[in-house]
């Protein structure tokens, strides 16, 4: 019998984080799930840690692929998922104990296409704070709303604080581009195409900042990182004009200036001299 919820957790080079992440999945109050761990060619001790969870709990299993990046790994996990609902968790993050229960219960009750919860940001500088990227949209409990009702949902660019109805996911053929910043083109398109979404104000997901500075969003020195960020912007803009209202389209444009353009500009201080000309072209 298929589980109610499939949870896809890709991992690569996260031996300092993955054990804590998987423990918060194992200890969820909602028990009817499968956890598909996608080993994206990891070379450190992550695989051994993941294997301990597989050996101890039949709900966990590992799928292995050559290193292809987070988007490809999520697609691989999705192909192996069998549940009625689908969730993606990053292997360096944490979940609140009732995360699955609250999101699945909401979807069972409302019939919405997906449900999202508020997010804690675990910051090296500020400690545990409500994520600025989610604060306004998830300030109150809303059921069966759309981005037309809550235009600031265009800021909800991360894939991982949500549970999706698998039938909705498959009907729209969602797949992650094989690049960094792969989630916003999928997440925003889902918001624009959803007939109804549930928003839960309780922080259900803990977005952790890595101490080693190895997360994608921390790699401002890498020109390839900037290339993928700009490519993601263009992928989003390709469908925003077609699917979004003028209000949402304007908010997306302004958000790219406030967030993505600013991050690209900050890379001017850190990329090698040999990459400066290309960086300036990307910024332009």
């Amino acid at each position: 019998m298929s589980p109610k919820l499939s949870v896809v957790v890709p991992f690569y080079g996260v031996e300092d984080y993955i054990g804590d992440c998987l423990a918060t999945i194992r200890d969820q109050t909602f028990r009817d799930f499968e956890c598909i761990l996608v080993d994206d060619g990891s070379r450190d001790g992550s695989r051994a840690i993941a294997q301990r969870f597989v050996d101890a709990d039949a709900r966990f299993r590992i799928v292995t692929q050559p290193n292809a990046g987070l988007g490809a790994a999520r697609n691989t996990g999705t192909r192996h998922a069998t549940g009625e609902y689908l969730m993606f968790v990053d292997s360096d993050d944490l979940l609140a104990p009732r995360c699955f229960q609250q999101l699945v219960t909401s979807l069972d009750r409302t019939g919405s296409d997906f449900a999202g919860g508020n997010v804690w940001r675990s910051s090296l500088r500020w400690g545990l704070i409500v994520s600025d990227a989610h604060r306004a949209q998830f300030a109150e409990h809303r059921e069966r709303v759309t981005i037309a009702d809550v235009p600031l949902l265009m800021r909800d660019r991360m894939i991982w604080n949500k549970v999706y109805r698998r039938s909705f996911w498959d009907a729209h053929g969602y797949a992650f581009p094989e690049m960094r910043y792969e989630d916003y083109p999928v997440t925003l398109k889902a918001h624009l195409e959803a007939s109804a979404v549930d928003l839960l104000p309780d922080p259900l997901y803990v977005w952790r900042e890595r101490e080693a500075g190895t997360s994608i969003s921390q790699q401002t020195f890498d020109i390839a990182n900037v290339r993928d960020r700009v490519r993601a912007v263009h992928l989003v803009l390709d469908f925003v004009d077609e699917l979004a209202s003028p209000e949402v389209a304007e908010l997306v444009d302004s958000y790219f200036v406030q967030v993505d353009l600013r991050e690209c500009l900050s890379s001017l201080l850190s990329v090698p001299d040999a990459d400066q000309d290309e960086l300036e072209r990307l910024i332009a």
Side-chain angles (χ1 to χ4, degrees), residues 2-9 33-38 61 63 73-88 164 166-167 169-170:
S2 297
K4 187 81 168 178
L5 173 67
S6 296
V7 184
V8 175
V9 186
F33 69 85
E34 63 177 351
C35 184
I36 302 159
L37 306 170
V38 184
R61 56 193 170 100
V63 175
R74 285 179 177 150
N75 292 334
T76 294
T78 301
R79 287 193 295 270
H80 286 81
T82 63
E84 178 183 353
Y85 296 122
L86 179 64
M87 184 177 188
F88 302 93
Y164 294 85
R166 181 63 187 266
S167 58
W169 186 272
D170 289 346

Side-chain angles (χ1 to χ4, degrees), residues 7-22:
V7 184
V8 175
V9 186
F11 65 89
Y12 178 86
V14 286
E15 62 182 357
D16 294 334
Y17 302 93
I18 190 171
D20 291 339
C21 172
L22 298 185

Side-chain angles (χ1 to χ4, degrees), residues 85 102 104-112 141 143 165 198:
Y85 296 122
Q102 289 186 251
V104 169
T105 299
S106 184
L107 290 175
D108 280 346
R109 182 177 64 253
T110 67
S112 291
H141 193 119
E143 293 182 350
R165 194 175 297 277
D198 300 338

Side-chain angles (χ1 to χ4, degrees), residues 70-133:
L70 188 54
R74 285 179 177 150
N75 292 334
T76 294
T78 301
R79 287 193 295 270
H80 286 81
T82 63
E84 178 183 353
Y85 296 122
L86 179 64
M87 184 177 188
F88 302 93
V89 174
D90 280 1
S91 54
D92 52 357
D93 292 336
L94 306 170
L95 301 179
R98 297 179 66 245
C99 176
F100 294 172
Q101 182 177 337
Q102 289 186 251
L103 293 170
V104 169
T105 299
S106 184
L107 290 175
D108 280 346
R109 182 177 64 253
T110 67
S112 291
D113 294 321
F114 61 96
N118 214 337
V119 175
W120 289 115
R121 178 66 161 142
S122 179
S123 164
L124 300 176
R125 181 177 181 183
W126 303 109
L128 197 63
I129 57 175
V130 177
S131 163
D132 283 340

Side-chain angles (χ1 to χ4, degrees), residues 251-265:
L251 286 170
V252 170
D253 288 343
S254 125
Y255 187 59
F256 281 148
V257 171
Q258 295 168 15
V259 176
D260 295 85
L261 180 58
R262 183 191 65 194
E263 290 298 320
C264 291
L265 287 167

Side-chain angles (χ1 to χ4, degrees), residues 25-89:
I25 293 175
R26 178 197 62 204
D27 297 338
Q28 288 290 303
T29 57
F30 182 85
R31 309 290 294 171
D32 187 14
F33 69 85
E34 63 177 351
C35 184
I36 302 159
L37 306 170
V38 184
D39 181 356
D40 187 33
S42 192
R43 299 176 181 177
D44 67 350
S46 301
R47 172 69 182 239
I49 296 169
Q51 189 63 51
R52 289 203 291 270
F53 284 84
V54 172
D55 293 341
D57 192 325
R59 297 173 301 175
F60 290 78
R61 56 193 170 100
I62 296 179
V63 175
T64 304
Q65 68 175 32
N67 180 248
L70 188 54
R74 285 179 177 150
N75 292 334
T76 294
T78 301
R79 287 193 295 270
H80 286 81
T82 63
E84 178 183 353
Y85 296 122
L86 179 64
M87 184 177 188
F88 302 93
V89 174

